[in-house]
Amino acid sequence: MVLTHDEPCISGGMEYISKIKEAYDTYSAFSQSLCFYGHTHLPGIFEKENNEVFYKRDNKIFLKEGNKYLINPGSVGQPRDKDPRLSYIIFDSEDNVVEFYRVEYDVEKAARGILNAGLSAIFANRLFRGV
């Protein structure tokens, strides 16, 4: 299992994995079957089966033995999939299943915290739209 903030090819490279082609190119960077990553703030799973890559956004995904996965839990802080709720996963390694969850939180309070910290209003406003 690999855990990384962004893509695992170049440590600290800050590259995005958000398209099938990017995921396909990334699989050569790790030999393990699972890579959990973030950076895009987009919840979903890229699955490589044989030589094909698929993208999945189901709430519950059963992982197949022998396939490789790039798994993004989304974001607790700044979701970017047009859903302002926070996103996380639970990975059950015994049943080989990943479940995605969404939870409401006090977006207004979080936005105020961003503004009170002196950060740009862009970061506060995007929370309401999930972008």
Side-chain angles (χ1 to χ4, degrees):
M1 178 182 323
V2 176
L3 302 171
T4 183
H5 171 82
D6 54 345
E7 57 83 29
C9 296
I10 302 168
S11 180
M14 302 301 268
E15 297 294 323
Y16 289 101
I17 306 169
S18 58
K19 297 180 174 78
I20 297 275
K21 168 89 169 90
E22 293 161 349
Y24 186 87
D25 292 344
T26 300
Y27 282 108
S28 63
F30 62 98
S31 59
Q32 298 86 339
S33 61
L34 300 176
C35 176
F36 293 88
Y37 74 100
H39 194 49
T40 65
H41 298 234
L42 299 171
I45 295 179
F46 288 100
E47 176 181 21
K48 184 177 182 188
E49 184 171 17
N50 298 317
N51 207 28
E52 288 190 73
V53 176
F54 307 93
Y55 184 70
K56 299 181 175 191
R57 291 257 338 237
D58 302 328
N59 290 333
K60 188 174 191 176
I61 298 173
F62 292 90
L63 307 181
K64 298 176 189 172
E65 192 71 33
N67 289 357
K68 287 180 81 171
Y69 295 90
L70 286 160
I71 302 168
N72 190 326
S75 177
V76 172
Q78 290 213 1
R80 301 210 178 126
D81 63 344
K82 299 181 181 164
D83 184 338
R85 297 175 298 162
L86 63 85
S87 172
Y88 69 95
I89 62 168
I90 292 180
F91 170 55
D92 180 338
S93 59
E94 287 186 23
D95 291 333
N96 236 12
V97 65
V98 174
E99 289 192 70
F100 286 85
Y101 294 91
R102 298 308 285 246
V103 178
E104 301 282 342
Y105 72 103
D106 191 341
V107 177
E108 288 187 23
K109 182 178 180 183
R112 276 194 311 275
I114 289 170
L115 295 173
N116 290 341
L119 299 171
S120 171
I122 292 170
F123 299 118
N125 294 333
R126 76 186 315 173
L127 295 180
F128 295 97
R129 298 186 325 265
V131 295

